[in-house]
Amino acid sequence: MMTAEQIVASHKANVETLFGLTAKAFEGVEKLVELNLSAAKAALDESANSTQAALSVKDAQELVAMQANLFQPLAEKTAAYSRHLYDIASGTGGEFTKAFEAQAAAAQKQFATLVDSAASNAPAGSEQAVAMMKGAVTAANSAFESVQKAVKQATDMAESNLASVTQAAAPKAAKKK
């Protein structure tokens, strides 16, 4: 059984974790707002420049050539924006994952301590039930670790695929110039 001090310490740790994650979430939102503001400013500047260039066109052929040149860097800019957006999301998500893993590990340890405490206080003749309970806890912990590994592998694969697509898209956009 947990003592009052342990309960208070647990709640304090949970509140600290909550505030830490809230701060990380706000950092992520700030970075996202900053990225979007800079992208909007760049788009506005490019729009002004494009409008000025369109107004100085002398014939239709020059207009078509100018339009073609305007759309070529779009793939690169989109890929760069996507990379920044992914970096922000994965950084923020990584902090949440670390906190979740730490909390899960602490909960597992606390539950194991509780099971051990219950086992040591179990009445004589209940050894089989205690062994079954410990086996179930061990199996649950193994299953949880397997799920964590699978999620990590899926995340790593998604990151690798995104990097491959981004690397493949950038040279194609550069060749079109």
Side-chain angles (χ1 to χ4, degrees):
M1 187 74 44
M2 289 181 63
T3 66
E5 292 84 19
Q6 290 172 325
I7 293 172
V8 169
S10 175
H11 285 300
K12 182 179 177 184
N14 289 337
V15 168
E16 288 174 1
T17 300
L18 175 65
F19 283 126
L21 290 176
T22 302
K24 290 296 178 185
F26 275 110
E27 281 180 29
V29 169
E30 286 174 343
K31 289 177 183 177
L32 183 60
V33 168
E34 183 179 311
L35 173 65
N36 285 332
L37 283 174
S38 65
K41 185 177 188 273
L44 186 60
D45 289 344
E46 290 172 18
S47 177
N49 291 338
S50 299
T51 302
Q52 291 296 327
L55 292 174
S56 67
V57 169
K58 293 178 180 55
D59 60 18
Q61 194 173 20
E62 191 179 341
L63 180 63
V64 170
M66 184 195 77
Q67 285 178 333
N69 288 335
L70 292 176
F71 290 113
Q72 286 178 351
L74 186 60
E76 289 176 6
K77 291 175 186 173
T78 302
Y81 177 84
S82 296
R83 274 193 306 271
H84 286 291
L85 188 62
Y86 176 78
D87 289 343
I88 292 168
S90 65
T92 303
E95 292 296 326
F96 278 84
T97 301
K98 286 179 196 174
F100 173 73
E101 288 173 352
Q103 289 291 331
Q108 284 176 334
K109 183 179 177 184
Q110 194 174 34
F111 188 70
T113 302
L114 181 65
V115 169
D116 288 342
S117 174
S120 66
N121 294 326
S126 62
E127 292 82 15
Q128 229 176 357
V130 170
M132 211 166 66
M133 178 67 121
K134 284 186 176 185
V137 169
T138 302
N141 287 341
S142 295
F144 181 72
E145 289 172 7
S146 295
V147 168
Q148 277 184 316
K149 287 178 185 175
V151 168
K152 175 78 169 124
Q153 288 173 345
T155 303
D156 291 346
M157 186 183 303
E159 288 177 0
S160 174
N161 289 342
L162 179 65
S164 298
V165 167
T166 302
Q167 288 174 350
K172 287 180 185 176
K175 287 179 185 177
K176 289 181 182 180
K177 286 184 179 178

